[in-house]
Amino acid sequence: MQEKTGSNATNPEGIRSVGTVDFDKAIDTLDGLEIRCRKLGHQVSFGYCRKESRSLPCRRTLDCWAPIFPVAMVLQRLISPDEWKACFEAPPPSRIDRIVERIDAAKALQEEK
């Protein structure tokens, strides 16, 4: 997919873009970048971070990757506004909710066997 941006096009962070960007190649390059994950405690790629939660980005993706590149601009191109709200604007589930969700998932897995 080719995207053309002009001198008056700006991304959500106010950075001006000039020229033609091959967005698919850019994503492939970004997906290969790695940083240490504060949540998991080891190296992970951006590709993992942007699909970590049921094909949605990890809630921490903006904080972790913002010092490296304009991650908000990239993610806003990849996910819908509703997905953005669900991922970054909705309050995180409580600890109890996460525990109950994992118990239900384990029960469902046992029932399948």
Side-chain angles (χ1 to χ4, degrees):
M1 161 174 50
Q2 293 280 339
E3 178 185 340
K4 293 183 86 173
T5 55
S7 61
N8 55 352
T10 58
N11 66 35
E13 296 175 355
I15 300 170
R16 292 195 177 275
S17 301
V18 179
T20 302
V21 176
D22 184 337
F23 194 71
D24 292 335
K25 284 184 182 176
I27 291 300
D28 289 343
T29 300
L30 293 174
D31 279 349
L33 297 177
E34 291 188 344
I35 61 172
R36 180 165 177 79
C37 177
R38 297 179 304 199
K39 182 175 164 183
L40 300 175
H42 57 79
Q43 293 291 110
V44 296
S45 68
F46 176 66
Y48 174 82
C49 296
R50 73 180 183 92
K51 297 178 183 176
E52 185 260 348
S53 179
R54 296 185 191 110
S55 79
L56 289 177
C58 171
R59 296 181 71 79
R60 298 180 182 181
T61 302
L62 296 178
D63 293 332
C64 295
W65 288 96
I68 312 298
F69 64 92
V71 66
M73 178 185 73
V74 171
L75 291 177
Q76 286 179 333
R77 293 279 314 279
L78 294 171
I79 62 176
S80 72
D82 289 337
E83 290 171 325
W84 179 274
K85 288 177 186 174
C87 189
F88 300 115
E89 296 175 11
S94 72
R95 186 175 186 104
I96 297 296
D97 290 340
R98 290 193 311 260
I99 291 170
V100 169
E101 182 179 300
R102 289 183 182 148
I103 290 170
D104 290 343
K107 284 180 183 178
L109 185 62
Q110 285 297 328
E111 290 173 3
E112 289 178 6
K113 291 181 179 182

PDB file of all heavy atoms in Angstrom, residues 88-100:
ATOM      1  N   PHE A  88      -6.563   1.715  24.485  1.00  0.00           N
ATOM      2  CA  PHE A  88      -5.801   2.764  25.156  1.00  0.00           C
ATOM      3  C   PHE A  88      -6.624   3.728  25.999  1.00  0.00           C
ATOM      4  O   PHE A  88      -6.069   4.434  26.832  1.00  0.00           O
ATOM      5  CB  PHE A  88      -4.991   3.560  24.131  1.00  0.00           C
ATOM      6  CG  PHE A  88      -4.013   2.717  23.378  1.00  0.00           C
ATOM      7  CD1 PHE A  88      -4.152   2.531  22.014  1.00  0.00           C
ATOM      8  CD2 PHE A  88      -2.968   2.081  24.026  1.00  0.00           C
ATOM      9  CE1 PHE A  88      -3.255   1.746  21.307  1.00  0.00           C
ATOM     10  CE2 PHE A  88      -2.072   1.289  23.333  1.00  0.00           C
ATOM     11  CZ  PHE A  88      -2.209   1.123  21.965  1.00  0.00           C
ATOM     12  N   GLU A  89      -7.929   3.796  25.787  1.00  0.00           N
ATOM     13  CA  GLU A  89      -8.728   4.769  26.521  1.00  0.00           C
ATOM     14  C   GLU A  89      -9.640   4.139  27.573  1.00  0.00           C
ATOM     15  O   GLU A  89     -10.044   4.810  28.508  1.00  0.00           O
ATOM     16  CB  GLU A  89      -9.536   5.614  25.546  1.00  0.00           C
ATOM     17  CG  GLU A  89      -8.643   6.455  24.638  1.00  0.00           C
ATOM     18  CD  GLU A  89      -9.405   7.218  23.575  1.00  0.00           C
ATOM     19  OE1 GLU A  89     -10.654   7.277  23.632  1.00  0.00           O
ATOM     20  OE2 GLU A  89      -8.743   7.747  22.670  1.00  0.00           O
ATOM     21  N   ALA A  90      -9.958   2.878  27.426  1.00  0.00           N
ATOM     22  CA  ALA A  90     -10.808   2.196  28.406  1.00  0.00           C
ATOM     23  C   ALA A  90      -9.980   1.885  29.647  1.00  0.00           C
ATOM     24  O   ALA A  90      -8.782   1.617  29.546  1.00  0.00           O
ATOM     25  CB  ALA A  90     -11.374   0.911  27.819  1.00  0.00           C
ATOM     26  N   PRO A  91     -10.604   1.915  30.812  1.00  0.00           N
ATOM     27  CA  PRO A  91      -9.847   1.555  32.015  1.00  0.00           C
ATOM     28  C   PRO A  91      -9.417   0.096  31.945  1.00  0.00           C
ATOM     29  O   PRO A  91     -10.145  -0.741  31.405  1.00  0.00           O
ATOM     30  CB  PRO A  91     -10.837   1.798  33.157  1.00  0.00           C
ATOM     31  CG  PRO A  91     -12.180   1.820  32.532  1.00  0.00           C
ATOM     32  CD  PRO A  91     -12.003   2.226  31.102  1.00  0.00           C
ATOM     33  N   PRO A  92      -8.244  -0.210  32.464  1.00  0.00           N
ATOM     34  CA  PRO A  92      -7.795  -1.600  32.415  1.00  0.00           C
ATOM     35  C   PRO A  92      -8.683  -2.475  33.301  1.00  0.00           C
ATOM     36  O   PRO A  92      -9.258  -1.994  34.278  1.00  0.00           O
ATOM     37  CB  PRO A  92      -6.369  -1.536  32.964  1.00  0.00           C
ATOM     38  CG  PRO A  92      -6.303  -0.279  33.748  1.00  0.00           C
ATOM     39  CD  PRO A  92      -7.296   0.668  33.128  1.00  0.00           C
ATOM     40  N   PRO A  93      -8.804  -3.756  32.961  1.00  0.00           N
ATOM     41  CA  PRO A  93      -9.612  -4.640  33.802  1.00  0.00           C
ATOM     42  C   PRO A  93      -8.976  -4.759  35.189  1.00  0.00           C
ATOM     43  O   PRO A  93      -7.756  -4.693  35.327  1.00  0.00           O
ATOM     44  CB  PRO A  93      -9.590  -5.980  33.064  1.00  0.00           C
ATOM     45  CG  PRO A  93      -8.466  -5.890  32.109  1.00  0.00           C
ATOM     46  CD  PRO A  93      -8.213  -4.455  31.832  1.00  0.00           C
ATOM     47  N   SER A  94      -9.816  -4.944  36.182  1.00  0.00           N
ATOM     48  CA  SER A  94      -9.297  -5.086  37.545  1.00  0.00           C
ATOM     49  C   SER A  94      -8.558  -6.416  37.678  1.00  0.00           C
ATOM     50  O   SER A  94      -8.725  -7.326  36.855  1.00  0.00           O
ATOM     51  CB  SER A  94     -10.435  -5.027  38.558  1.00  0.00           C
ATOM     52  OG  SER A  94     -11.208  -6.210  38.492  1.00  0.00           O
ATOM     53  N   ARG A  95      -7.795  -6.532  38.712  1.00  0.00           N
ATOM     54  CA  ARG A  95      -7.043  -7.772  38.949  1.00  0.00           C
ATOM     55  C   ARG A  95      -8.000  -8.957  39.095  1.00  0.00           C
ATOM     56  O   ARG A  95      -7.755 -10.040  38.560  1.00  0.00           O
ATOM     57  CB  ARG A  95      -6.177  -7.608  40.195  1.00  0.00           C
ATOM     58  CG  ARG A  95      -5.264  -8.757  40.437  1.00  0.00           C
ATOM     59  CD  ARG A  95      -4.347  -8.469  41.630  1.00  0.00           C
ATOM     60  NE  ARG A  95      -3.391  -9.519  41.772  1.00  0.00           N
ATOM     61  CZ  ARG A  95      -2.124  -9.428  41.417  1.00  0.00           C
ATOM     62  NH1 ARG A  95      -1.683  -8.319  40.879  1.00  0.00           N
ATOM     63  NH2 ARG A  95      -1.312 -10.438  41.600  1.00  0.00           N
ATOM     64  N   ILE A  96      -9.092  -8.758  39.804  1.00  0.00           N
ATOM     65  CA  ILE A  96     -10.086  -9.821  39.991  1.00  0.00           C
ATOM     66  C   ILE A  96     -10.686 -10.228  38.645  1.00  0.00           C
ATOM     67  O   ILE A  96     -10.843 -11.422  38.359  1.00  0.00           O
ATOM     68  CB  ILE A  96     -11.198  -9.384  40.971  1.00  0.00           C
ATOM     69  CG1 ILE A  96     -10.615  -9.108  42.356  1.00  0.00           C
ATOM     70  CG2 ILE A  96     -12.321 -10.391  41.022  1.00  0.00           C
ATOM     71  CD1 ILE A  96     -10.018 -10.329  43.028  1.00  0.00           C
ATOM     72  N   ASP A  97     -11.027  -9.244  37.816  1.00  0.00           N
ATOM     73  CA  ASP A  97     -11.582  -9.546  36.488  1.00  0.00           C
ATOM     74  C   ASP A  97     -10.612 -10.385  35.660  1.00  0.00           C
ATOM     75  O   ASP A  97     -11.017 -11.322  34.972  1.00  0.00           O
ATOM     76  CB  ASP A  97     -11.935  -8.264  35.735  1.00  0.00           C
ATOM     77  CG  ASP A  97     -13.136  -7.541  36.328  1.00  0.00           C
ATOM     78  OD1 ASP A  97     -13.927  -8.185  37.051  1.00  0.00           O
ATOM     79  OD2 ASP A  97     -13.268  -6.323  36.068  1.00  0.00           O
ATOM     80  N   ARG A  98      -9.323 -10.046  35.713  1.00  0.00           N
ATOM     81  CA  ARG A  98      -8.319 -10.810  34.958  1.00  0.00           C
ATOM     82  C   ARG A  98      -8.208 -12.232  35.480  1.00  0.00           C
ATOM     83  O   ARG A  98      -8.084 -13.179  34.705  1.00  0.00           O
ATOM     84  CB  ARG A  98      -6.967 -10.103  35.004  1.00  0.00           C
ATOM     85  CG  ARG A  98      -6.928  -8.811  34.197  1.00  0.00           C
ATOM     86  CD  ARG A  98      -5.526  -8.299  34.002  1.00  0.00           C
ATOM     87  NE  ARG A  98      -4.742  -8.250  35.216  1.00  0.00           N
ATOM     88  CZ  ARG A  98      -4.519  -7.150  35.956  1.00  0.00           C
ATOM     89  NH1 ARG A  98      -5.029  -6.010  35.573  1.00  0.00           N
ATOM     90  NH2 ARG A  98      -3.788  -7.211  37.049  1.00  0.00           N
ATOM     91  N   ILE A  99      -8.268 -12.398  36.799  1.00  0.00           N
ATOM     92  CA  ILE A  99      -8.182 -13.742  37.394  1.00  0.00           C
ATOM     93  C   ILE A  99      -9.391 -14.580  36.976  1.00  0.00           C
ATOM     94  O   ILE A  99      -9.252 -15.733  36.563  1.00  0.00           O
ATOM     95  CB  ILE A  99      -8.065 -13.650  38.929  1.00  0.00           C
ATOM     96  CG1 ILE A  99      -6.694 -13.068  39.308  1.00  0.00           C
ATOM     97  CG2 ILE A  99      -8.271 -15.021  39.575  1.00  0.00           C
ATOM     98  CD1 ILE A  99      -6.559 -12.707  40.768  1.00  0.00           C
ATOM     99  N   VAL A 100     -10.589 -13.984  37.068  1.00  0.00           N
ATOM    100  CA  VAL A 100     -11.806 -14.712  36.690  1.00  0.00           C
ATOM    101  C   VAL A 100     -11.760 -15.071  35.204  1.00  0.00           C
ATOM    102  O   VAL A 100     -12.122 -16.190  34.814  1.00  0.00           O
ATOM    103  CB  VAL A 100     -13.068 -13.877  37.033  1.00  0.00           C
ATOM    104  CG1 VAL A 100     -14.311 -14.476  36.415  1.00  0.00           C
ATOM    105  CG2 VAL A 100     -13.215 -13.736  38.543  1.00  0.00           C
TER     106      VAL A 100
END
